[in-house]
Amino acid sequence: MTRKTRIQPIEHDDSADQDLADERPSKSQLKREMHALQALGVDLVELPKDALKRMPMPDNLADAVRDARRITDHEGKRRQIQYIGRVMRSLTEDEIGALRTALETYRGVNKAETARLHWIEQTREQLIAHDDAFTAFLRAHPGADAQEGRTLIRNARKEAQQGKPPRYFRELFQWIKSASGGEGEDASDSTEDDDDQTDA
């Protein structure tokens, strides 16, 4: 009779495997990060040329972004965007962080400038529509040239009534811009407060 030899199982340290698994990001996490980098690449491609020059990019990424901007074919552009994503995965965390910060700064500055231009346009409309808006504007901006402002408003109203090209309408925009200096939304708030006082 043959004797059966019992094979002893090799003890396996499951905790070591678990530690390794915890350290490695999951496939879905890697995929999310890859898509986020690709989206960042798309943001770079869509930036205006002057803003793109200010982005802190290594040469290979800058070249890839410039190439993507030149490609007009949809499929070709899609492949180039994927390539930009691959290039971005080779960047360090610091480089990616610097890029994100620069993009956010650009968007913030751009938003503030857009808000200021909207405020100037609204102010121009108010000045042309209501005489009391001019008084409120002068109170809020005592350094403004009142005589020039009055003349521009009168001429802008006249050219609108006569259907002429908006020369004084544009000049009034520039006058408001220089008279209000670096102000924008703050000036808008103070003008609205003054409007409330004049209505009262």
Side-chain angles (χ1 to χ4, degrees):
M1 189 164 144
T2 58
R3 187 187 278 191
K4 290 184 181 177
T5 56
R6 195 179 248 181
I7 300 172
Q8 294 292 325
I10 299 171
E11 287 188 23
H12 193 62
D13 189 2
D14 290 337
S15 63
D17 284 349
Q18 188 60 42
D19 290 345
L20 283 174
D22 290 344
E23 288 172 16
R24 277 188 309 231
S26 67
K27 282 185 182 178
S28 55
Q29 175 66 27
L30 287 171
K31 201 169 187 179
R32 279 195 299 273
E33 288 172 8
M34 183 182 74
H35 284 301
L37 288 175
Q38 203 162 311
L40 185 59
V42 170
D43 290 343
L44 291 172
V45 171
E46 291 173 352
L47 279 176
K49 203 180 239 181
D50 62 323
L52 188 62
K53 287 178 185 172
R54 292 194 294 268
M55 293 295 128
M57 293 186 286
D59 291 339
N60 60 340
L61 179 58
D63 292 341
V65 169
R66 275 193 295 273
D67 289 344
R69 291 166 66 91
R70 281 193 288 267
I71 296 171
T72 54
D73 176 61
H74 177 74
E75 183 58 24
K77 193 162 209 154
R78 188 187 66 79
R79 282 196 305 268
Q80 186 65 16
I81 296 291
Q82 286 180 331
Y83 172 68
I84 288 170
R86 281 198 302 274
V87 171
M88 292 195 72
R89 287 197 292 278
S90 70
L91 300 181
T92 65
E93 287 293 322
D94 290 343
E95 288 172 321
I96 292 167
L99 261 177
R100 283 203 171 106
T101 303
L103 258 174
E104 284 163 16
T105 303
Y106 165 74
R107 286 181 184 140
V109 167
N110 209 28
K111 227 180 254 182
E113 183 59 22
T114 302
R116 176 166 158 66
L117 294 176
H118 283 307
W119 175 80
I120 293 170
E121 287 169 1
Q122 289 170 350
T123 303
R124 176 176 59 185
E125 297 298 331
Q126 290 171 358
L127 291 174
I128 290 171
H130 310 288
D131 289 333
D132 59 340
F134 183 63
T135 309
F137 183 85
L138 289 177
R139 254 191 268 131
H141 308 93
D145 184 341
Q147 186 57 45
E148 184 185 3
R150 248 185 232 101
T151 305
L152 288 171
I153 292 168
R154 187 172 53 244
N155 291 342
R157 286 173 181 166
K158 202 180 290 181
E159 73 186 2
Q161 289 166 352
Q162 296 172 355
K164 290 184 174 178
R167 175 184 159 201
Y168 294 106
F169 187 73
R170 288 190 191 112
E171 286 183 22
L172 181 58
F173 182 93
Q174 294 304 323
W175 179 81
I176 296 166
K177 191 175 182 180
S178 63
S180 62
E183 299 168 37
E185 290 175 88
D186 295 343
S188 156
D189 294 342
S190 62
T191 307
E192 284 169 16
D193 293 345
D194 290 338
D195 284 344
D196 294 341
Q197 287 168 9
T198 52
D199 291 344

